[in-house]
Amino acid sequence: MIRKNEQLLNFIMQLAEKPDVPGAIILRKLDAGTRLIHQGEANGNVYVIKSGVAKCLFTEESGKEYILAFLGEGETLGEIEAIRKLPTICSIEALTPLCVYKISNVQFLHFLETIPEFSRILLELMAIRLSDISLKGARQQLQPISELLPRLLSALEAQQIEFTKKDLSEYLGITLRSLNRALKEEK
Ligand SMILES: Nc1ncnc2c1ncn2[C@@H]1O[C@@H]2COP(=O)(O)O[C@H]2[C@H]1O
């Protein structure tokens, strides 16, 4: 449920230490609850999570929120704006204290164009995201909450993080009321 990408994390850690890219990759720390990326705005940087967990939050015009994904170590944030040259598609908020590698959009695109291994890892990460988001959407359409919830709860047990009921309902795309009802039926 929390996505991670060890390959990218290892790659960025090594790249950040290379003497020929001084200052191109810098570390930034954020407190839990801080918004790193604001939906619809130009952000100008791409981030790779070094430690901690962030939520990827889409807000509708009506104000309704939907959590697209929980992202952990080695996941990228902000690459869609850099690649597509369009405003960010959703917001990113730190769920726990977060430490990220920060790379400017220009530098990120330069790495993509000049380091084949970096492009390969990024392409694979995007393919994994596409399949994950497609399967999440399909399951939410096909399966009732009574089937989705136990699976989510057992995945959560393995994590050492406190998720609020609000986070869970926004991840499942249901109201808090429906979540509470389903939790009651679970017992
Ligand atoms: N379905 C998703 N799964 C994982 N990360 C996502 C998803 N959708 C958006 N993001 C991330 O959230 C970021 C918001 O800013 P960008 O649109 O620039 O880039 C986006 C991605 O890095």
Side-chain angles (χ1 to χ4, degrees):
M1 125 157 220
I2 298 177
R3 262 184 256 158
K4 294 185 183 176
N5 194 299
E6 212 181 315
Q7 262 197 102
L8 183 58
L9 180 63
N10 290 336
F11 192 86
I12 288 290
M13 280 164 86
Q14 284 171 17
L15 195 60
E17 277 164 23
K18 282 197 170 169
D20 52 337
V21 286
I25 304 174
I26 55 172
L27 276 179
R28 186 176 160 193
K29 288 186 176 167
L30 293 104
D31 293 329
T34 311
R35 266 201 190 183
L36 178 64
I37 293 179
H38 296 261
Q39 180 176 323
E41 293 181 8
N43 152 63
N45 297 294
V46 177
Y47 305 91
V48 176
I49 301 179
K50 182 169 191 271
S51 61
V53 177
K55 64 179 173 184
C56 185
L57 194 71
F58 174 72
T59 311
E60 237 188 12
E61 278 163 21
S62 66
K64 274 193 197 160
E65 294 186 324
Y66 179 71
I67 295 180
L68 294 162
F70 293 109
L71 304 174
E73 289 152 30
E75 285 289 328
T76 59
L77 313 166
E79 77 293 339
I80 297 180
E81 180 207 333
I83 294 168
R84 301 194 64 201
K85 298 183 175 56
L86 287 174
T88 54
I89 63 161
C90 59
S91 298
I92 298 288
E93 189 176 305
L95 204 67
T96 66
L98 204 63
C99 183
V100 292
Y101 289 103
K102 176 179 157 189
I103 311 162
S104 72
N105 284 357
V106 173
Q107 185 68 60
F108 173 79
L109 293 174
H110 178 71
F111 285 153
L112 267 188
E113 280 160 18
T114 56
I115 313 176
E117 179 66 355
F118 184 63
S119 334
R120 189 196 61 74
I121 293 173
L122 247 294
L123 199 60
E124 195 180 323
L125 183 147
M126 301 297 260
I128 295 170
R129 273 193 190 171
L130 178 63
S131 38
D132 284 356
I133 197 80
S134 306
L135 294 178
K136 178 177 183 250
R139 288 197 182 107
Q140 285 180 356
Q141 287 293 318
L142 296 171
Q143 297 177 3
I145 296 299
S146 56
E147 280 179 35
L148 290 170
L149 191 60
R151 209 169 309 130
L152 181 62
L153 292 176
S154 75
L156 285 179
E157 261 183 37
Q159 317 287 340
Q160 304 269 307
I161 299 164
E162 279 282 315
F163 290 90
T164 63
K165 280 187 183 175
K166 184 172 180 286
D167 283 338
L168 295 186
S169 63
E170 285 171 3
Y171 183 73
L172 289 168
I174 58 173
T175 61
L176 251 182
R177 213 164 147 203
S178 308
L179 177 72
N180 280 329
R181 196 178 318 124
L183 283 170
K184 223 169 168 184
E185 283 162 12
E186 261 288 298
K187 285 179 188 165

